[in-house]
Amino acid sequence: MSELTVVHLLRHGEVHNPGRVLYGRLPGFRLSTAGEDMARRAADWFAGHDVAHLVSSPLERARQTARPLAEATGLDVRIDERIIEAGNAFEGRIVGGAGGVFRAPRNWWKLRNPFQPSWGEPYVEIAARMLAAVEAARDAARGREAVLVSHQLPIWTTRLHVEGRRFAHDPRRRQCSLASITSLTYDGDQLQGVSYAEPAGATDPDAVPGA
């Protein structure tokens, strides 16, 4: 008999970031008012789903995004360090525009290898920790559904990995909008397919500099 399990990767909602910095793993970055609404829309999307396991990144914006779903399902939110945002050498700094890090020659050494990438946590390491967390959630929710609240790059790297695509990519082309849901369906331990939904609508990648 088949045993279908779905692991949903939920990206957090919009963050309050008036300085338009790359916030990465920095503390103190919480959801904006719009982001809180996105979290509620995501929770509404799961109505009728058999969610049995709920996990969040330790970062505040992810925990806030998980809260409405926890309230709707009555589940406790487990924290898993493995689904945290990717490390980045440019945290706390403005990336784009005239004053961005890419314009300063002293930063070019960090940009030498986009295939790794040289400015942050290697893609292979992101994929490895995310897959370990996904498999643990799959095992915890056998025959039902699990939700992991994470971040754009870790979710997108996971998708690239399971679909057998190259890690190097244009960040503007990631299909991973704010509060979006990337769903991995397993039959037993075998991945059967990947689907994607945007309960809060599409996100302009240029409008979210810190994500």
Side-chain angles (χ1 to χ4, degrees):
M1 295 179 61
S2 64
E3 181 184 51
L4 294 181
T5 307
V6 185
V7 179
H8 303 280
L9 304 178
L10 169 60
R11 184 186 172 192
H12 63 79
E14 181 187 85
V15 173
H16 180 65
N17 181 21
R20 298 180 66 80
V21 301
L22 180 73
Y23 40 77
R25 296 178 178 177
L26 295 175
F29 285 90
R30 57 180 289 112
L31 294 183
S32 65
T33 300
E36 292 174 349
D37 181 63
M38 290 177 178
R40 289 190 290 269
R41 292 191 196 183
D44 290 344
W45 185 89
F46 284 104
H49 286 252
D50 188 17
V51 178
H53 189 65
L54 179 57
V55 184
S56 174
S57 155
L59 296 177
E60 183 176 10
R61 59 190 183 271
R63 291 186 284 110
Q64 284 184 286
T65 301
R67 191 172 300 147
L69 184 56
E71 293 172 353
T73 60
L75 293 170
D76 292 330
V77 181
R78 300 171 183 267
I79 302 300
D80 192 334
E81 294 279 349
R82 295 175 295 187
I83 61 174
I84 197 170
E85 177 63 283
N88 194 299
F90 298 127
E91 281 183 357
R93 302 173 67 181
I94 296 173
V95 174
V101 297
F102 299 146
R103 297 296 183 92
R106 67 179 180 276
N107 294 322
W108 292 351
W109 170 249
K110 294 175 183 174
L111 305 173
R112 66 191 180 278
N113 183 2
F115 300 101
Q116 186 181 34
S118 52
W119 57 83
E121 183 181 5
Y123 294 128
V124 291
E125 293 181 10
I126 299 171
R129 62 176 171 82
M130 285 292 292
L131 261 294
V134 166
E135 291 171 359
R138 178 198 63 200
D139 293 344
R142 288 284 184 183
R144 302 177 70 185
E145 300 178 47
V147 178
L148 276 61
V149 186
S150 186
H151 308 267
Q152 186 190 56
L153 181 54
I155 292 172
W156 184 243
T157 302
T158 303
R159 182 169 176 181
L160 292 176
H161 176 77
V162 300
E163 292 183 342
R165 293 194 268 168
R166 296 175 59 188
F167 287 135
H169 64 278
D170 182 343
R172 296 168 297 180
R173 296 182 179 275
R174 295 173 185 161
Q175 189 183 41
C176 192
S177 292
L178 290 166
S180 64
I181 300 163
T182 300
S183 303
L184 311 180
T185 299
Y186 290 88
D187 186 348
D189 292 346
Q190 298 299 312
L191 181 67
Q192 297 299 303
V194 179
S195 58
Y196 176 76
E198 294 178 341
T203 305
D204 180 352
D206 293 327
V208 192

